[in-house]
Amino acid sequence: MRAVARGQRIAALFADASPTAGRLDLYAVLANSARSVLRVGRTTLDSDCFPSFTPDCPQAHLFEREIAEQFGVRPEGHPWFKPVRFHGSYRPGHDAWADPPAKRP
């Protein structure tokens, strides 16, 4: 994440599933507070995993965990991978955890 290294921050990182195409798009919103600029990027995933941004950009960690829980895709290399809210994937048949962790009391 070169932009983050240059002082921008991740304002949002989220996914959106296309109900007709069966694909998953990842969106990143980067904020440059010094210039009052937002930048948006998008990519389409071709599998149920993607390289984690978290090792190089710790601020992405919770966003990636939420995306994994919501859509059943796995951020490969995420250093602290676990559910956020412990709910099922929005995409039936897609689960980022082969054996989901037990719910905490």
Side-chain angles (χ1 to χ4, degrees), residues 69 83 85-88 100-105:
E69 188 167 350
R85 292 183 181 82
F86 296 88
H87 67 75
K103 286 188 176 185
R104 295 182 181 160

Side-chain angles (χ1 to χ4, degrees), residues 30-54:
L30 299 176
N32 183 330
S33 298
R35 298 185 67 189
S36 299
V37 173
L38 294 175
R39 289 191 167 83
V40 178
R42 177 186 63 109
T43 190
T44 300
L45 297 181
D46 57 5
S47 71
D48 281 348
C49 64
F50 63 96
S52 175
F53 299 119
T54 300

Side-chain angles (χ1 to χ4, degrees), residues 59-72:
Q59 61 190 273
H61 94 277
L62 193 56
F63 291 117
E64 290 181 340
R65 290 172 43 206
E66 181 76 10
I67 291 167
E69 188 167 350
Q70 290 176 340
F71 296 101

